[in-house]
Amino acid sequence: MEPLLDTASRANAVHDVDTALLRSWPVPMPALEGDKEIRGHVLVLGGSCEMPGAVILAATAALRAGAGKLTIATGHSVAQLVALAMPEARVIGLAEHDSAGFSLDAVAALDPLADRVDAVLVGPGMRDEAATAALVHALLPRLDAAGSAVVLDACAMGALLHPPAGWPAGRPWRFEHPVALTPHAGEMAHLTGIDKASIVEAPDPRAIAAARDWNAVLALKGARTVIATPDGTLYQHEGGNVGLAISGSGDVLAGIIAGLAARGAPLDQAACWGVALHARAGERLAARMGTLGYLAREISQEIPALLEDIASEDAGGHGTIRQAPVGRGAPA
């Protein structure tokens, strides 16, 4: 990677933007006479025998974010369970390895969907990083050709560490078309080889460098979440509460981002809105139930009302997103 931005450069680059940014950068809305097709079709690929709930959490969040049509692809061992938990979804069972990773036979099973889905989320609840990476690399050319927005979460981000056969040894992987990645500091440490403490101490330059080198919209999650784009645009969000630090919370955030992308939001907009909605949902739950003890499954329930409320809030409301400089698709 190239040298990191120095402190002075970062200070000059970052500009505070409050709720006014969200209000001036509305997510795409379907026409009143529209059907579920124009609201967007999202595919959630994930789950495993030990973590079937992750794909359920992510898929629910995608629908709560406004996507109109949902397909879930998960392992044969849990497909029936997931189908019963998600009556709104079409559920496809995929062949699994003994390691609980998916077989590459999944590519043929999913190929017919490529031209019909607007956004694809891969990763929640998946296991076997190497097998998952092989599946991601096999799917990406087809999804790129179809123009589908791609969000990689959890195990699927390991595609960066396991490039496809024929990729030059020692050369870091770079996505041909931008994807969204959603690591927390520990996952970022795993992906970069940089220790977690250094990432927590200086997330901005790490996120900027990674987004540029990987050709990705990167949401580096934390109490202060940093969102970087390949062109050097940097956003940060501060809000939410420690109650969001709970199992399944990241799956919900990834699902929200994928749902917004299915509606037609560019990946940078989907990431910013997703982070803000996730944090504000946590604030609402904390106010009603207490800071600790609400569940990840409850976060999604707050999203539909928040989407409408943000449009009518006075500028300067709670929760902020900060931007520097204005990126593709963002308001000037």
Side-chain angles (χ1 to χ4, degrees):
M1 291 186 177
E2 297 177 9
L4 303 176
L5 294 180
D6 59 32
T7 303
S9 297
R10 292 200 307 275
N12 290 335
V14 178
H15 305 285
D16 288 351
V17 178
D18 60 16
T19 305
L21 174 66
L22 298 180
R23 298 182 70 200
S24 64
W25 196 15
V27 292
M29 286 292 293
L32 293 177
E33 66 276 12
D35 59 18
K36 63 184 178 183
E37 300 292 341
I38 70 165
R39 286 176 53 182
H41 185 173
V42 61
L43 167 64
V44 180
L45 170 57
S48 62
C49 56
E50 292 187 1
M51 294 183 286
V55 74
I56 295 170
L57 290 170
T60 301
L63 289 182
R64 294 291 191 182
K69 197 169 183 178
L70 170 66
T71 299
I72 299 173
T74 191
H76 272 304
S77 63
V78 296
Q80 186 175 16
L81 180 155
V82 171
L84 289 171
M86 292 294 305
E88 300 87 355
R90 173 190 178 190
V91 178
I92 300 172
L94 303 175
E96 299 166 283
H97 297 301
D98 291 341
S99 64
F102 297 151
S103 165
L104 282 179
D105 292 344
V107 176
L110 297 174
D111 184 78
L113 278 173
D115 293 319
R116 290 184 277 153
V117 294
D118 300 287
V120 181
L121 167 60
V122 188
M126 295 179 80
R127 298 178 60 200
D128 190 339
E129 184 176 85
T132 299
L135 180 59
V136 168
H137 289 304
L139 287 172
L140 278 176
R142 184 71 174 92
L143 296 174
D144 289 343
S148 302
V150 177
V151 182
L152 302 182
D153 181 50
C155 187
M157 293 186 291
L160 290 161
L161 302 177
H162 303 273
W167 188 257
R171 179 181 168 191
W173 173 255
R174 177 179 172 82
F175 295 101
E176 183 175 354
H177 298 277
V179 304
L181 304 173
T182 57
H184 54 59
E187 290 168 327
M188 189 69 170
H190 174 62
L191 295 173
T192 61
I194 301 169
D195 67 275
K196 179 179 176 180
S198 296
I199 291 170
V200 171
E201 181 181 358
D204 299 37
R206 309 296 183 188
I208 291 170
R212 177 195 63 219
D213 292 347
W214 296 337
N215 193 27
V217 173
L218 181 76
L220 179 51
K221 301 179 293 192
R224 172 179 172 272
T225 293
V226 175
I227 301 158
T229 71
D231 65 4
T233 303
L234 180 67
Y235 303 83
Q236 64 177 2
H237 180 273
E238 296 178 271
N241 54 66
V242 71
L244 289 168
I246 190 172
S247 294
S249 182
D251 302 317
V252 173
L253 173 58
I256 296 170
I257 294 172
L260 294 172
R263 291 174 56 173
L267 288 176
D268 56 349
Q269 183 186 31
C272 286
W273 269 84
V275 167
L277 289 166
H278 185 259
R280 292 180 183 216
E283 291 172 0
R284 286 195 171 187
L285 288 167
R288 189 167 70 249
M289 303 175 64
T291 302
L292 299 182
Y294 59 83
L295 305 177
R297 75 186 72 161
E298 294 164 332
I299 298 170
S300 294
Q301 299 172 14
E302 306 297 323
I303 301 306
L306 281 166
L307 280 164
E308 294 194 1
D309 290 350
I310 287 174
S312 60
E313 279 184 358
D314 292 332
H318 64 143
T320 59
I321 286 184
R322 300 172 184 175
Q323 173 205 31
V326 174
R328 294 191 304 269

